[in-house]
């Protein structure tokens, strides 16, 4: 099909200039951007509730919190192997919207299960349910964003200096950063609302009930939003049948995927440290449990802003992807070095599952916690959004794209599960946990350097 000649590709990719010429039933770049926005808002609602609950797990539910999170991400890892054929089967019969809706409800059930924790089987059971739903939901979402980027790139006119690969790179960076910048706000909104509820009803025996019912309600609203996303067709070669072996075959048979695995796995471990270890090791002892939600919210807020900034820098080609991976890795390394060498004041002490104030925290000690979180968030932002965008750029239009999206979440979730298990086993050895993450960060950066030497990340 002949490309339209009236639209400037770079201008459109940066949100400037006129919209692309309408093609294929009147769909334009704006149509696909709206699709990404609607699906992102659905994820915003679902994870408004879940990420807030996740951030409060280890501080409110102690050991059960670690077990719940390990169950989520352990199951997540295993089910990711069958996600591509499962999605192909379900999409052919119901479409993506009902699949994403039901998966969102699984998250809502897990949030609400935190109300009753005397019988561990109930919250653990819903954690396993989320582990089943999560790879389906994330693979659908990442695939949907990739489809929108692929079709949008085809509706942009080419200039002499802009080739097909550059158009696709521009749209994957633009749409992926759009999704992640909205998605990361979910955690900020959820944690702020959760913390405000905890402060408003502090000391009330039914505080946890209200907290998790409200958060669960937000997850339900987000699930309903999935029913309104516009339908978008698959890419040209994506209709080939997927199998269980495709996910692992891609992981170890394609160097572009293989060399991303250390980074994606380490990113999962680092995020699990932020959500599990850091609140228990630093936030609660220094600032108290009521500040946990605000700290996690600040992470998501900075992360959302940083994701948008990274996306614009890459889209405008001010910073190349390989440089963005290096710089963001250094931000994370700085955070873990601070955790390793800074001595945190013990203003609160934990007795059973409750934190008791020993002395009032100074404003500087609390500010230092927030600054450390901001440093980590600026680095994590690109390590979360960068790999899916790069892999979409490599593989969109081929049958390998859905297994690639399943791989990104599989290895990240394995990193999550690994770190939560380590958090239980090495609970008393904080230094060992941090040093391990520093080593993995260095290995991840070296792996990306090798990848760029073999296949330019641009």
């Amino acid at each position: 099909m002949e490309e339209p000649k009236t639209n400037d590709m770079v201008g459109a990719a940066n949100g400037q200039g006129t919209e692309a010429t309408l093609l294929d039933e009147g769909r334009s770049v704006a149509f696909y951007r709206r699709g990404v926005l609607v699906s992102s808002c659905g994820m915003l609602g679902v994870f408004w509730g879940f990420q807030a609950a996740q951030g409060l797990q280890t501080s409110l539910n102690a050991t059960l919190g670690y077990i719940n999170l390990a169950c989520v991400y352990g199951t997540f890892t295993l089910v990711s192997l069958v996600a591509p054929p499962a999605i192909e089967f379900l999409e052919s019969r119901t479409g993506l919207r009902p699949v994403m809706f039901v998966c969102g409800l699984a998250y809502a059930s897990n949030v609400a299960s935190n109300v009753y924790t005397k019988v561990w089987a109930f919250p653990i059971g819903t954690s396993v349910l989320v582990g089943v739903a999560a790879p389906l939901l994330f693979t659908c979402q990442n695939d949907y964003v990739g489809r929108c980027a692929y079709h949008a790139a085809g509706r942009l006119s080419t200039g002499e200096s802009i080739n097909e690969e550059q158009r696709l790179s521009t749209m994957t960076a633009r749409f992926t950063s759009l999704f992640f910048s909205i998605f990361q706000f979910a955690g900020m909104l959820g944690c702020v609302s959760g913390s405000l509820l905890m402060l408003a009803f502090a000391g009330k025996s039914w505080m946890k009930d209200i907290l998790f019912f409200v958060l669960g309600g937000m997850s339900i609203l987000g699930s309903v939003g999935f029913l309104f996303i516009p339908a978008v067709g698959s890419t040209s070669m994506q209709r080939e049948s997927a199998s269980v072996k495709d996910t692992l075959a891609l992981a170890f048979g394609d160097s572009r995927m293989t060399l991303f695995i250390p980074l994606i796995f380490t990113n999962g471990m680092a995020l699990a440290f932020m959500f599990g270890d850091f609140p228990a090791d630093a936030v609660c002892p220094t600032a108290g449990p009521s500040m946990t939600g605000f700290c996690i919210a600040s992470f998501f807020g900075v992360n959302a802003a940083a994701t948008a900034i990274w996306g614009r820098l890459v889209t405008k080609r001010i910073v190349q992807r390989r440089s963005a991976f290096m710089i963001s890795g250094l931000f994370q390394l700085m955070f873990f070095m601070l955790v390793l060498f800074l001595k945190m004041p013990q203003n609160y002490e934990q007795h059973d599952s409750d934190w008791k104030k020993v002395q009032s925290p100074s404003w500087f000690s609390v500010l230092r916690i927030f600054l450390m979180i901001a440093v980590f968030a600026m680095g994590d932002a690109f390590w979360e959004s960068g790999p899916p965008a790069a892999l979409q750029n490599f593989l969109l239009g081929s049958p390998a794209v859905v297994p690639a999206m399943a791989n990104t979440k599989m290895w990240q979730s394995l990193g999550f599960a690994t770190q939560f298990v380590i958090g239980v086993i090495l609970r008393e050895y904080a230094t060992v946990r941090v040093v391990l993450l520093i080593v993995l960060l260095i290995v991840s950066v070296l792996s990306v350097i090798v990848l760029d030497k073999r296949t330019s990340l641009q």
Side-chain angles (χ1 to χ4, degrees):
M1 182 177 293
E2 183 180 357
E3 294 288 349
K5 303 182 184 302
T6 59
N7 184 61
D8 179 74
M9 196 277 296
V10 175
N14 293 326
Q16 300 170 351
T18 60
E19 286 296 336
T21 303
L22 299 180
L23 296 172
D24 297 338
E25 301 178 0
R27 293 181 175 180
S28 67
V29 172
F31 172 85
Y32 296 107
R33 186 175 186 276
R34 283 195 297 271
V36 175
L37 280 172
V38 174
S39 65
S40 299
C41 288
M43 295 289 280
L44 174 70
V46 170
F47 286 88
W48 181 318
F50 181 75
Q51 287 183 330
Q54 179 180 255
L56 296 168
Q57 283 275 9
T58 55
S59 58
L60 290 182
N61 291 334
T63 301
L64 176 59
Y66 281 104
I67 294 173
N68 283 340
L69 295 171
C71 287
V72 168
Y73 293 103
T75 309
F76 194 152
T77 302
L78 295 175
V79 178
S80 291
L81 293 171
V82 301
I87 290 170
E88 179 185 6
F89 174 82
L90 293 170
E91 183 182 8
S92 65
R93 285 156 178 78
T94 67
L96 291 180
R97 285 174 287 197
V99 176
M100 297 175 76
F101 170 68
V102 173
C103 290
L105 293 181
Y107 278 89
S109 71
N110 179 254
V111 175
S113 73
N114 286 278
V115 172
Y116 185 72
T117 57
K118 290 183 179 180
V119 178
W120 284 18
F122 181 48
I124 291 174
T126 59
S127 295
V128 172
L129 184 62
V130 167
V132 173
L136 300 178
L137 178 59
F138 273 102
T139 303
C140 284
Q141 174 65 21
N142 285 336
D143 180 38
Y144 183 82
V145 172
R147 293 183 189 190
C148 289
Y150 180 86
H151 291 298
R155 283 145 180 78
L156 293 169
S157 67
T158 61
E160 293 183 359
S161 61
I162 303 295
N163 58 35
E164 182 179 352
E165 183 178 353
Q166 289 172 325
R167 295 203 316 274
L168 185 58
S169 176
T170 296
M171 296 313 297
T172 55
R174 180 185 177 188
F175 282 178
T176 302
S177 64
L178 174 62
F179 161 63
F180 275 99
S181 61
I182 294 173
F183 175 68
Q184 297 295 13
F185 269 116
M188 185 186 73
L189 294 172
C191 290
V192 168
S193 59
S195 294
L196 290 174
L197 286 171
M198 289 177 66
L199 290 174
F201 301 112
K204 304 293 185 182
S205 60
W206 39 263
M207 182 270 291
K208 281 178 61 176
D209 298 353
I210 295 294
L211 172 64
F212 289 113
F213 272 128
V214 170
L215 296 177
M218 292 307 304
S219 292
I220 292 173
L221 288 176
S223 302
V224 173
F226 291 134
L227 298 176
F228 297 94
I229 63 174
V232 174
S234 59
T235 57
S236 58
M237 294 178 61
Q238 201 174 326
R239 297 179 181 84
E240 295 185 17
S241 297
S243 66
V244 174
K245 67 179 182 181
D246 289 341
T247 304
L248 284 177
L250 183 68
F252 300 107
D254 189 321
S255 63
R256 295 170 297 184
M257 184 73 248
T258 305
L259 290 170
F260 258 133
I261 288 174
L263 184 147
I264 297 169
F265 176 79
T266 302
N267 177 245
M269 289 188 67
L271 282 169
F273 181 91
M274 174 56 64
F275 297 145
D277 298 64
F278 193 67
D281 293 344
V283 177
C284 289
T286 300
S290 63
M291 293 299 293
T292 299
F294 291 113
C295 288
I296 299 298
S298 70
F299 162 77
F300 285 116
V302 174
N303 197 304
T307 299
I309 293 170
W310 284 120
R312 183 165 290 275
L313 291 174
V314 172
T315 298
K316 287 181 172 290
R317 304 185 183 279
I318 297 172
V319 174
Q320 294 183 319
R321 276 199 177 105
R322 58 175 171 266
S323 300
F325 279 119
M326 301 299 107
I327 297 169
S328 54
L330 290 175
F331 275 119
Q332 294 176 81
L333 183 60
M334 186 188 306
F335 166 78
F336 285 109
M337 295 298 285
L338 289 172
V339 173
L340 185 62
F341 291 110
L342 284 181
K343 182 175 178 59
M344 300 294 176
Q346 301 298 303
N347 300 318
Y348 292 80
E349 292 181 353
Q350 189 172 25
H351 300 280
D352 296 325
S353 60
D354 295 323
W355 289 88
K356 303 295 184 183
K357 181 187 287 188
V358 176
Q359 59 186 3
S360 297
S362 67
W363 68 268
F364 178 75
S365 63
V366 176
L367 176 62
R368 185 170 59 182
I369 290 288
F370 281 95
L371 291 176
M372 290 171 66
I373 291 171
V375 169
F376 176 76
M378 287 187 288
D380 172 77
F382 196 75
W383 278 34
E384 284 200 68
S385 61
L391 289 167
Q392 287 169 356
N393 197 47
F394 291 146
L395 302 171
L396 272 175
S398 78
V401 66
V402 175
M405 295 303 99
N407 260 288
T408 60
K409 299 312 296 184
M410 179 180 75
W411 292 106
Q412 187 189 52
S413 62
L414 180 60
F416 263 103
T418 300
Q419 184 62 32
F420 286 130
V421 171
I422 289 173
V424 174
I425 297 174
L426 300 178
R427 181 70 263 154
E428 304 302 320
Y429 302 94
T431 299
V432 176
R433 287 183 274 123
V434 175
V435 170
L436 176 60
L437 284 163
I438 290 173
V439 171
L440 288 173
L441 278 169
I442 295 171
V443 171
S444 299
V445 170
L446 293 175
S447 182
V448 170
I449 292 173
V450 174
L451 173 62
D452 184 59
K453 293 291 184 182
R454 294 188 178 184
T455 306
S456 177
L457 289 168
Q458 298 185 348

